[in-house]
Amino acid sequence: MGSWRNKPWLLWAALMVPAAATIAGIGTYTGVLGPEDAPRPSRADLVGRYEDGEGGVVVLRDDWVAELSGIEQYVDDGFGGEVPQPCEDAGAGWTFAESRPRWHHQVAVLTECGSAIPWLWDVDGSPSRPELIYWLGTPGHPDARRVLTRR
């Protein structure tokens, strides 16, 4: 058969393939390689009034205050179960988390409606038509997905 010492190109190939794959993966993740991401909404694009089509309204103001009206949430019914209840909070706070890679931006809403844990809503859409997506109940269930569209 022969020794690998007689074939130095084999050793180089064995080392270069994983190195090239690593560099390509890092380049794709950072956005240097591959197609450019579509423009995503920034914090300034998110300011405005949003409606979910089912009576829920959210107003995100430029001063980091959110006004919530009719946004459903599940609360404890006192018997070990949960019941939907609309949230009314005119003084909730909100922040915007821009992530890298750019396809997972989130808005965190801190409200007095039954939870000390901030609600995390996904940001989708374009800068001119941003959308906020939240889950009522079980995340991933098709009936639990709510989309707030800016009006």
Side-chain angles (χ1 to χ4, degrees), residues 40-144:
R40 301 292 299 216
S42 66
R43 182 204 175 278
D45 298 324
L46 294 176
V47 173
R49 177 186 170 93
Y50 294 82
E51 297 177 10
D52 66 4
E54 298 181 24
V57 176
V58 174
V59 177
L60 299 180
R61 298 190 335 216
D62 196 27
D63 60 356
W64 300 103
V65 174
E67 301 171 11
L68 287 77
S69 175
I71 299 295
E72 288 186 357
Q73 63 166 343
Y74 277 113
V75 296
D76 186 16
D77 65 359
F79 300 105
E82 294 182 327
V83 293
Q85 178 181 352
C87 174
E88 306 290 333
D89 189 353
W94 72 282
T95 61
F96 175 63
E98 187 171 9
S99 65
R100 185 97 179 149
R102 298 185 64 203
W103 55 79
H104 193 72
H105 296 339
Q106 286 188 323
V107 167
V109 179
L110 185 57
T111 178
E112 297 292 327
C113 293
S115 176
I117 300 171
W119 296 350
L120 296 177
W121 295 346
D122 293 328
V123 176
D124 202 5
S126 66
S128 61
R129 294 216 18 112
E131 295 177 337
L132 302 176
I133 300 167
Y134 72 98
W135 299 92
L136 179 63
T138 307
H141 191 278
D143 294 335

Side-chain angles (χ1 to χ4, degrees), residues 14-34:
L15 294 175
M16 293 309 290
V17 168
T22 301
I23 290 171
I26 291 170
T28 302
Y29 180 79
T30 60
V32 175
L33 301 175

